[in-house]
């Protein structure tokens, strides 16, 4: 595998100030030790199973399958995890690692607030201090999640720089970490940032594909033909892909947020519209303007609204191992409504991007083919926004 010293092909690396080098070296050494430590893995498995509710179900979506009339569709139900999404997998792993390293304090960035809530949850559980940095615009749009984080005992700091959104929250958290590394771990929320974060986060999320493999072999006696997931930074997607990368017959499909379309400026589809660059400590693909500045991005889904993609995805794209496809707001909203009424499952609007693409390809596939779609989270958080999208205001 083309992964050495935090490189995925030409992508990845550690493009960080000298003042952060010690922190990432300390983290890498600790991770290399604990990832193979039986006691660490025993404790993490206990947290996964007893606290987060793993393994998550692999559910045969029979009504959706029959209605679409093609491939057999399974849903990997990360929405059923404690806190309602896949984010808890990574956060429990990093919080436990930080604790073993003797850190007493977690800091994290958050966009819509899902990663912030998950981090605040892990901090409460493990008795750690927690500060979450959140763009000031996002604190207004996601007031309920701000309240949740405070309820869980965390401080929430509004970030006013830049556009006051996720990318600024990441930059601010990195700055804060530089100033206080002795007792503080930066719990990064996706497979991005400088090495070793993309590797650490991927390893903790890889439990998704480890389980899909076992569950599929048990239910169907063979591997799936297609596994797919939505891609923001790319953590639930790499978790879904990872244990299938060597199985060349398994198609890997990542679904990016096209927003209002990849031919508009209101998009967050990084692979479709971005170029190679260096940002947030890594080399990868980023949405950029004509001067190479990070472009403002847009999607109806706050969780996919990031101008970059994790370096391992950039590499899987370069070598042609995974496909990345754009899905618009319209298509995602339709899939959100479709799954709700067809299977009685309200998916996160992020996950609905993957569902929408499955709805496109499944009807043309043979009935014997098997598709697994990761439902990265539940959609309760999105109901007000989708109602508004449909011209209804549920808080009137
Ligand atoms: C945060 C989030 C995402 C996007 O993050 P990835 O790192 O790309 O997985 C997707 N779905 C849900 C439900 C999320 O909360």
């Amino acid at each position: 595998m083309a992964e050495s010293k935090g490189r995925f092909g030409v992508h990845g690396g550690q493009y960080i100030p000298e003042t952060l080098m010690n922190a990432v070296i300390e983290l890498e050494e600790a991770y290399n030790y604990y990832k193979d430590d039986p006691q660490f893995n025993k404790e993490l498995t206990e947290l996964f199973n007893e606290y987060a509710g793993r393994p998550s179900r692999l559910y045969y979506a029979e009504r959706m399958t029959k209605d679409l009339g093609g491939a057999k569709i399974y849903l990997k139900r990360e929405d059923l995890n404690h806190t309602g999404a896949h984010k808890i997998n990574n956060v429990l792993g990093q919080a436990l690692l930080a604790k073993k390293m003797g850190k007493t304090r977690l800091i994290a960035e958050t966009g819509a607030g899902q990663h912030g809530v998950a981090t605040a949850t892990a901090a409460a559980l493990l008795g750690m201090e927690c500060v979450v940095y959140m763009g000031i615009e996002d604190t207004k749009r996601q007031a309920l999640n701000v309240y949740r984080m405070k309820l869980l005992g965390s401080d929430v700091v509004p970030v006013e720089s830049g556009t006051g959104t996720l990318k600024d929250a990441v930059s601010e958290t990195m700055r804060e970490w530089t100033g206080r590394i002795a007792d503080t771990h930066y719990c990064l929320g996706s497979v991005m940032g400088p090495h070793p974060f993309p590797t650490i986060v991927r390893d903790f999320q890889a439990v998704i594909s480890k389980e899909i493999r076992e569950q599929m072999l048990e239910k169907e006696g063979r591997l799936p033909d297609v596994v797919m997931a939505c891609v923001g930074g790319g953590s639930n997607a790499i978790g879904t892909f990872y244990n299938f990368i060597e199985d060349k017959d398994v198609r890997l499909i990542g679904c990016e947020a096209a927003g209002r379309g990849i031919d508009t400026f209101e998009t967050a589809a990084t692979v479709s519209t971005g170029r190679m660059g260096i940002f947030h400590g890594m080399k990868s693909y980023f949405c950029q303007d004509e001067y190479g500045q990070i472009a403002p991005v847009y999607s109806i889904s706050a969780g996919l609204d990031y101008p970059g993609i994790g370096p391992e995805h950039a590499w899987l794209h370069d070598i042609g191992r995974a496909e990345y496809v754009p899905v618009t707001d319209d298509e995602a909203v339709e899939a959100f409504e479709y799954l709700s009424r067809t299977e009685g499952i309200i998916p996160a609007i992020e996950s609905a991007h993957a569902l929408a693409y499955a709805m496109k390809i499944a009807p043309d596939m043979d009935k014997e083919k098997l598709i697994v779609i990761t439902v990265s989270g539940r959609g309760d958080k999105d109901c007000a926004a989708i109602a508004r999208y449909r011209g209804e205001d549920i808080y009137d």
Side-chain angles (χ1 to χ4, degrees):
M1 194 150 291
E3 180 189 341
S4 69
K5 293 210 166 115
R7 288 280 175 180
F8 303 94
V10 300
H11 303 283
Q14 291 177 317
Y15 298 87
I16 51 175
E18 225 22 70
T19 43
L20 261 189
M21 275 316 283
N22 282 340
V24 297
I25 291 169
E26 183 195 5
L27 178 61
E28 180 175 12
E29 285 174 355
Y31 182 63
N32 284 340
Y33 174 77
Y34 284 109
K35 74 177 186 287
D36 301 319
D37 176 43
Q39 181 62 27
F40 178 83
N41 284 298
K42 180 170 167 279
E43 286 175 42
L44 183 59
T45 302
E46 248 166 56
L47 288 173
F48 275 3
N49 296 357
E50 301 303 319
Y51 188 70
R54 303 211 70 85
S56 69
R57 296 290 163 90
L58 183 70
Y59 167 74
Y60 169 40
E62 187 172 359
R63 281 177 49 86
M64 182 174 176
T65 298
K66 296 211 161 122
D67 182 60
L68 295 175
K72 193 166 177 184
I73 296 170
Y74 282 89
L75 304 178
K76 181 59 173 163
R77 299 288 311 275
E78 293 297 302
D79 59 311
L80 296 178
N81 297 340
H82 178 49
T83 68
H86 68 290
K87 295 237 163 60
I88 195 76
N89 306 328
N90 166 46
V91 157
L92 288 174
Q94 283 197 51
L96 187 64
L97 178 63
K99 199 151 184 181
K100 299 276 178 194
M101 292 170 72
K103 310 285 178 188
T104 54
R105 193 167 166 269
L106 297 176
I107 56 174
E109 85 293 346
T110 199
Q114 300 299 109
H115 175 61
V117 169
T119 306
T121 300
L125 177 70
L126 298 180
M128 300 172 87
E129 247 184 90
C130 180
V131 182
V132 179
Y133 295 87
M134 188 171 188
I136 189 150
E137 287 309 313
D138 291 330
T139 62
K140 293 176 199 155
R141 287 189 291 209
Q142 305 288 341
L144 180 59
N145 276 340
V146 174
Y147 182 79
R148 281 198 182 110
M149 289 183 262
K150 290 182 176 165
L151 186 64
L152 291 159
S154 289
D155 282 336
V156 180
V157 178
V159 176
E160 296 185 30
S161 58
T163 49
T165 58
L166 175 59
K167 77 169 181 17
D168 310 295
V170 174
S171 305
E172 186 66 22
T173 318
M174 282 193 183
R175 267 194 294 276
E176 288 295 325
W177 197 32
T178 309
R180 189 166 170 183
I181 55 180
D183 66 348
T184 300
H185 172 70
Y186 178 6
C187 184
L188 221 160
S190 190
V191 282
M192 44 159 292
H195 175 68
F197 283 108
T199 301
I200 292 180
V201 179
R202 176 255 275 154
D203 288 352
F204 290 140
Q205 292 294 356
V207 67
I208 299 174
S209 50
K210 178 175 166 282
E211 289 175 6
I212 293 174
R213 231 189 136 85
E214 292 164 3
Q215 291 165 323
M216 207 50 160
L217 287 172
E218 196 184 306
K219 284 176 195 287
E220 296 280 352
R222 70 178 184 90
L223 297 183
D225 298 288
V226 180
V227 296
M228 50 200 298
C230 63
V231 181
S235 69
N236 90 91
I238 208 76
T240 301
F241 296 172
Y242 188 64
N243 287 285
F244 297 110
I245 291 177
E246 301 296 315
D247 302 295
K248 304 291 183 212
D249 292 337
V250 180
R251 252 177 98 185
L252 313 175
I253 306 179
C255 303
E256 301 192 305
R260 300 211 162 87
I262 54 172
D263 48 355
T264 74
F265 289 105
E266 292 173 295
T267 181
T270 309
V271 174
S272 299
T273 68
R275 280 178 289 141
M276 200 185 298
I278 292 171
F279 188 54
H280 286 156
M282 60 178 165
K283 184 181 278 183
S284 189
Y285 292 114
F286 297 95
C287 299
Q288 304 171 39
D289 68 15
E290 56 185 306
Y291 305 106
Q293 298 292 333
I294 296 300
V297 287
Y298 162 82
S299 159
I300 188 170
S301 146
L304 302 183
D305 201 347
Y306 179 71
I309 188 170
E312 192 164 6
H313 287 293
W315 173 68
L316 290 172
H317 168 72
D318 285 355
I319 62 170
R321 178 63 190 94
E323 303 157 53
Y324 296 88
V325 297
V327 174
T328 64
D329 284 1
D330 275 343
E331 293 167 327
V333 169
E334 268 179 38
F336 177 91
E337 294 167 341
Y338 177 84
L339 196 73
S340 300
R341 60 170 193 269
T342 309
E343 292 286 349
I345 296 169
I346 303 175
I349 189 64
E350 289 82 11
S351 325
H353 286 71
L355 292 157
Y357 195 69
M359 289 165 64
K360 267 193 197 170
I361 62 170
D364 295 328
M365 291 171 66
D366 277 357
K367 285 190 167 45
E368 299 76 55
K369 296 283 182 191
L370 305 172
I371 298 184
V372 178
I373 311 157
T374 293
V375 180
S376 54
R378 65 172 183 235
D380 310 54
K381 67 180 180 58
D382 300 308
C383 288
I386 304 299
R388 216 176 306 124
Y389 189 84
R390 291 298 191 207
E392 224 180 292
D393 194 337
I394 58 176
Y395 291 124
D396 256 358

